[in-house]
Amino acid sequence: MKYYSTNRTAPIADLHKAVTKGLAEDRGLYMPETIHKLPREFFENIEEMSFQDIAYNVASAFFGEDVDLDALQEIVFDTLRFDCPVVKVTDNIHSLELFHGPTLAFKDVGARFMARLLQYFIRMDGGEERVNVLVATSGDTGSAVANGFLGVEGIHVYVLYPKGKVSPIQECQFTTLGKNITAVEVDGVFDDCQALVKSAFMDKALNDHMRLTSANSINVARFLPQAFYYFNAYARMKRQCNGRKLVMCVPSGNFGNICSALFGHRMGLPIHRFIAANNANDVFYNYLKTGQYEPKPSIQTLANAMDVGDPSNFARIYDLYGGSHEQIAALISGATYTDQQIRETMRECHAENGYVLDPHGACGYRALKEQLQADEVGVFCETAHPAKFKEKVDEILGIDIAIPDRLAAFMKGEKQSVAMTKDFADFKAYLMKE
Ligand SMILES: *Cc1c(COP(=O)(O)O)cnc(C)c1O
């Protein structure tokens, strides 16, 4: 499969290059030249298939031309060692719980899949030289990437995070792992971490010294595998739909998750329409209304993993529909909620249905509740386990939510990190000795 850049001026790449480089030379995002439709028989029997088997079929359509099929199957099965249940919340609203992975984040799937695909390509190259992944995090991405890459031979990961700015639960998810994961605690804010990573990629001496790559969410190997979730959701919902049309609602920040669902739709997945639910960061919502895309600085909200003022995957969605606002607005509707509305929604859903929403999922639930028609059935993504936002959820709902064992286990480990200033010269000097 060939991959082109959404900016259309970079050379065409193969999957190997798209995965190892992440971003194209013209700073555009890689798009596959062809999106294969899955055969009708696949959808006829999908409800009989397991999550892993469904995902393997989807992965073959995306990556089967470039990856040996046995290896691909092994990568998919290794990535999906957990369940992805659809839970009924009301008569016509269901929660697709994307948080049953190793760090209880939906980003676990993309992170692990990318780690294993990168390893596959490194081995093909002979695998002599260590590949170093740099990732800046404000919390969740770092834990998913660190755990996804943990123990993957030939790759070392440096997670840069702002000192004192991530929650204790998040911090221990990437500082206690050891092995091929190094946590770098930067005396600064998230933007400083991101600036250090960007400078590193541009520094010639450093790139001559070591092979560097990024595990950013724009990487095709990180965002495309999220489509597995949506095929699985359809399979689990197929019988319950009973003639009603299926609406998929995705709480969105950088729009990678919903973008993978739209790729699924292009492959023939029978989802009638989509809703992109936002917090107060309403750039996409405004685009749907006006046809103008006007990025803004991000606003801090309760649903902080969605605090994005210039969603990077907008470029992919725009490209997927040939830049047609009409087509995009016909398939996707928007929603935007204030923190006060998020709180209200969490309280209301808990009181009426006994279901505990996290602040991100709350945006999705509310958008369905407000927009679902009588002949439709809705599924929203619950993107985070509510215990990951324990302080907020407990305070809003007046409960004491239990921390799952898997999360508690990280908290028993010993924190190890490298202290770093926000000066690039210091970070470079450190890496030059590695
Ligand atoms: C990353 C994240 C999102 C947003 O996903 P995008 O793919 O960036 O749109 C939503 N909720 C949670 C909990 C997340 O971690």
Side-chain angles (χ1 to χ4, degrees):
M1 179 77 67
K2 298 279 179 251
Y3 288 81
Y4 64 89
S5 160
T6 50
N7 286 343
R8 312 262 174 176
T9 55
I12 298 291
D14 58 9
L15 179 65
H16 184 311
K17 180 176 171 189
V19 171
T20 40
K21 282 198 48 96
L23 204 62
E25 290 90 339
D26 60 2
R27 319 230 27 98
L29 277 62
Y30 283 118
M31 292 283 282
E33 270 189 341
T34 318
I35 299 172
H36 295 297
K37 286 243 185 298
L38 286 163
R40 188 182 312 150
E41 307 84 71
F42 171 69
F43 294 107
E44 275 165 9
N45 300 313
I46 194 168
E47 68 273 32
E48 315 289 345
M49 295 169 71
S50 68
F51 185 20
Q52 284 87 347
D53 286 327
I54 292 170
Y56 172 60
N57 276 274
V58 176
S60 310
F62 281 134
F63 305 117
E65 291 172 16
D66 304 298
V67 183
D68 170 75
L69 286 180
D70 288 338
L72 186 60
Q73 183 169 41
E74 200 272 315
I75 292 172
V76 169
F77 279 48
D78 171 67
T79 300
L80 303 179
R81 286 171 297 176
F82 52 88
D83 197 17
C84 175
V86 181
V87 175
K88 186 167 179 156
V89 179
T90 73
D91 277 345
N92 53 1
I93 297 180
H94 301 249
S95 169
L96 172 60
E97 294 185 346
L98 302 186
F99 55 70
H100 293 275
T103 74
L104 307 179
F106 80 79
K107 294 182 175 75
D108 285 332
V109 159
R112 182 71 183 171
F113 189 91
M114 181 185 160
R116 294 297 318 277
L117 195 62
L118 193 56
Q119 183 189 38
Y120 173 83
F121 286 130
I122 291 170
R123 283 185 180 154
M124 271 190 8
D125 287 346
E128 273 119 49
E129 196 188 352
R130 181 173 108 171
V131 172
N132 301 279
V133 170
L134 302 183
V135 60
T137 186
S138 55
D140 261 10
T141 301
S143 45
V145 168
N147 283 273
F149 281 78
L150 181 64
V152 176
E153 243 173 75
I155 307 179
H156 197 94
V157 177
Y158 298 88
V159 181
L160 284 76
Y161 72 103
K163 179 177 177 168
K165 306 259 178 353
V166 302
S167 79
I169 291 183
Q170 286 174 328
E171 186 172 11
C172 59
Q173 282 183 307
F174 52 80
T175 56
T176 59
L177 301 170
K179 292 190 190 164
N180 60 331
I181 311 298
T182 302
V184 180
E185 186 174 22
V186 177
D187 196 359
V189 295
F190 170 66
D191 291 338
D192 297 318
C193 300
Q194 206 157 30
L196 288 178
V197 169
K198 279 193 183 151
S199 303
F201 286 129
M202 283 173 352
D203 190 274
K204 180 151 187 326
L206 198 53
N207 283 272
D208 288 342
H209 173 69
M210 65 202 313
R211 240 177 112 179
L212 294 177
T213 188
S214 103
N216 194 291
S217 65
I218 50 92
N219 196 299
V220 290
R222 258 197 73 193
F223 100 90
L224 273 174
Q226 294 167 6
F228 304 158
Y229 288 134
Y230 297 94
F231 285 87
N232 185 58
Y234 172 71
R236 309 288 80 95
M237 286 300 295
K238 196 175 157 194
R239 290 207 180 101
Q240 298 179 57
C241 281
N242 225 338
R244 291 175 297 177
K245 296 168 185 156
L246 187 59
V247 178
M248 187 60 73
C249 179
V250 187
S252 297
N254 243 330
F255 281 70
N257 198 9
I258 193 167
C259 190
S260 77
L262 296 168
F263 272 72
H265 184 252
R266 184 61 63 85
M267 293 169 81
L269 183 63
I271 292 173
H272 179 60
R273 64 185 183 95
F274 294 86
I275 304 175
N278 284 139
N279 56 25
N281 292 277
D282 56 2
V283 172
F284 187 76
Y285 177 83
N286 290 334
Y287 165 76
L288 291 176
K289 269 203 316 202
T290 65
Q292 302 297 316
Y293 180 73
E294 285 165 349
K296 303 192 242 188
S298 65
I299 307 166
Q300 269 194 22
T301 76
L302 268 176
N304 59 13
M306 294 164 26
D307 293 349
V308 182
D310 184 7
S312 38
N313 282 289
F314 177 78
R316 278 204 174 102
I317 297 176
Y318 190 78
D319 192 275
L320 193 59
Y321 299 99
S324 163
H325 173 259
E326 197 187 332
Q327 278 186 43
I328 294 173
L331 184 62
I332 313 170
S333 59
T336 171
Y337 300 112
T338 63
D339 279 0
Q340 190 47 40
Q341 288 174 310
I342 291 174
R343 283 194 197 89
E344 266 167 36
T345 306
M346 289 168 67
R347 289 196 192 107
E348 184 198 285
C349 181
H350 185 241
E352 287 175 4
N353 314 306
Y355 191 78
V356 178
L357 293 165
D358 98 292
H360 306 81
C363 297
Y365 171 81
R366 181 157 180 158
L368 276 179
K369 200 144 193 231
E370 288 179 355
Q371 300 188 16
L372 206 63
Q373 309 288 313
D375 62 342
E376 294 174 335
V377 57
V379 173
F380 70 96
C381 297
E382 184 35 294
T383 48
H385 192 295
K388 288 189 94 169
F389 299 89
K390 180 171 168 57
E391 296 84 12
K392 293 173 186 167
V393 174
D394 282 358
E395 187 254 317
I396 293 167
L397 299 181
I399 59 175
D400 179 13
I401 191 165
I403 296 186
D405 293 346
R406 218 169 325 151
L407 216 49
F410 285 111
M411 299 178 82
K412 294 202 192 91
E414 196 191 327
K415 177 183 154 178
Q416 285 179 314
S417 66
V418 175
M420 193 61 60
T421 71
K422 60 183 177 188
D423 280 331
F424 178 62
D426 289 337
F427 184 50
K428 178 175 172 178
Y430 165 73
L431 286 180
M432 290 300 279
K433 288 201 213 99
E434 284 283 289

